[in-house]
Amino acid sequence: MKWDKEAEQAAEILPIPPMMGAYARLHAEKVARQRGLDCVTADVVKETEQVYADFMGKEKTEQLKAFFAGTGPAPEMEEELFFENEKALYFIDTCFAKYGENSSLVRNALKDMMRSATSVMEEENLTEIMADLTTGAFHGASRFNLGMTGCPNCCVSPYLKDFGIIMQHRVDITEIECVHCGECMKMCIEKSIQLAPDGPIIDRKTCVQCELCARDCPTGTLTVKERAWQVIAGGGGGHHPTIAVTIEDFTSKDRVIEILRNAIARLRVASPGESLRMIIAREGPGAIC
Ligand code: SF4
Ligand code: SF4
């Protein structure tokens, strides 16, 4: 699709992370198509900008605007969240927070968790354990795969990994008066929020604790008071894809590390050819609790 000159100029300074630039252009072209246009206009780019601002939240959008205006620093990559150790038979895949997404609070919590998980896997000689369990040549699938995400959006599929650590954010409803702006309902893709005359009501059975409703609540009626972790395990891809099961919900960091140690201890006494997913399928989550 063609883009007019003003649209091209507006796209160059869209406040979005560089890695999302191509997707934002596709989004603008979709909006133009839906409006029956044969060319992307500056108006269409404006609509795309708003969609991405809602998606990323005010804090991130303001940082990016400042960068494009030349008054703020470039979006930061979180080098520590890129796992690099080609000699290890374990691997940690972290979510898009490694590209600077999410809040600094979440990125710091993920870095802290990654340091602890890496130390445990190192201390417990997980590479040797995985080497002994592997029959034949070592390759990518011989590794113990750990997926870690800053929210239940799970963008790096921890449910298809041996072990998953997912940050959870419990949203509380405060006494502060709600102005019925509807922002929270717009953000909740689970449709877990209703607006009653005296304010929001959260359906805790369907809420996945992602915090998006609270992130840009203008009044502070919704806020996150507690954050914790969900541990899942026993997933995997390959010939027989398996979805990980929940081991523990809304638990502390210490408990996450304890469960990880338990999983490694169970693998230490496993037979060659066995994996965590085989053990959990046979023995249930109790195998590593
Ligand atoms: S809870 Fe917050 S975001 Fe939701 S409608 Fe009320 S003021 Fe708006
Ligand atoms: S925290 Fe719960 S209620 Fe809020 S947006 Fe996420 S799923 Fe919806």
Side-chain angles (χ1 to χ4, degrees):
M1 184 176 275
K2 287 190 202 134
W3 285 59
D4 76 20
K5 203 171 154 201
E6 282 183 357
E8 285 288 6
Q9 285 167 348
E12 273 174 32
I13 53 164
L14 262 184
I16 51 172
M19 58 163 301
M20 284 185 184
Y23 289 152
R25 288 183 73 92
L26 284 177
H27 185 278
E29 289 176 4
K30 179 187 93 171
V31 174
R33 266 199 324 278
Q34 289 177 340
R35 284 195 195 169
L37 304 173
D38 60 1
C39 172
V40 178
T41 63
D43 256 15
V44 165
V45 177
K46 205 78 197 148
E47 186 174 328
T48 292
E49 178 176 340
Q50 187 54 52
V51 169
Y52 275 84
D54 288 344
F55 173 66
M56 292 184 306
K58 284 187 187 135
E59 180 193 323
K60 192 79 199 168
T61 303
E62 290 310 315
Q63 280 171 4
L64 287 158
K65 275 187 179 164
F67 166 65
F68 284 110
T71 56
E76 274 175 39
M77 290 283 202
E78 290 284 0
E79 299 301 334
E80 243 191 296
L81 291 176
F82 288 83
F83 182 84
E84 275 175 32
N85 182 354
E86 60 191 21
K87 290 186 181 159
L89 283 177
Y90 55 81
F91 182 73
I92 302 181
D93 196 6
T94 42
C95 66
F96 282 22
K98 62 180 174 264
Y99 300 111
E101 290 304 298
N102 224 315
S103 63
S104 52
L105 182 150
V106 170
R107 295 201 302 273
N108 287 338
L110 288 174
K111 283 191 282 187
D112 181 46
M113 180 65 84
M114 185 151 169
R115 275 179 225 127
S116 300
T118 308
S119 302
V120 166
M121 293 192 285
E122 202 50 41
E123 274 164 39
E124 302 282 349
N125 283 323
L126 184 55
T127 293
E128 274 182 29
I129 295 171
M130 295 310 293
D132 292 345
L133 291 177
T134 301
T135 51
F138 299 164
H139 53 100
S142 312
R143 296 179 303 192
F144 178 89
N145 274 305
L146 190 157
M148 197 170 64
T149 63
C151 80
N153 198 32
C154 291
C155 60
V156 288
S157 306
Y159 280 91
L160 286 173
K161 294 185 163 59
D162 295 284
F163 200 91
I165 305 173
I166 301 162
M167 198 170 180
Q168 297 172 304
H169 314 266
R170 184 168 290 157
V171 172
D172 280 310
I173 302 170
T174 67
E175 296 296 318
I176 301 171
E177 196 177 340
C178 162
V179 294
H180 290 82
C181 66
E183 280 299 309
C184 52
M185 289 183 71
K186 192 165 85 185
M187 295 311 293
C188 183
I189 54 176
E190 302 296 328
K191 309 236 175 300
S192 301
I193 290 202
Q194 284 184 345
L195 276 182
D198 55 353
I201 299 169
I202 298 177
D203 178 352
R204 300 288 174 187
K205 287 198 198 82
T206 56
C207 169
V208 295
Q209 309 194 98
C210 68
E211 85 166 324
L212 289 185
C213 56
R215 196 181 56 186
D216 288 338
C217 170
T219 52
T221 307
L222 295 175
T223 189
V224 177
K225 288 195 182 149
E226 257 190 291
R227 298 173 203 269
W229 305 89
Q230 183 185 20
V231 180
I232 58 175
H239 291 183
H240 305 288
T242 316
I243 302 291
V245 295
T246 300
I247 306 296
E248 219 157 282
D249 214 25
F250 214 75
T251 200
S252 66
K253 182 195 158 196
D254 286 352
R255 182 69 184 128
V256 174
I257 295 303
E258 188 181 18
I259 298 170
L260 179 59
R261 276 193 201 277
N262 294 346
I264 298 171
R266 183 63 191 81
L267 284 170
R268 188 174 286 115
V269 294
S271 308
E274 279 198 313
S275 62
L276 195 59
R277 78 166 119 170
M278 291 160 82
I279 293 167
I280 287 181
R282 192 174 64 230
E283 300 170 17
I288 61 169
C289 278

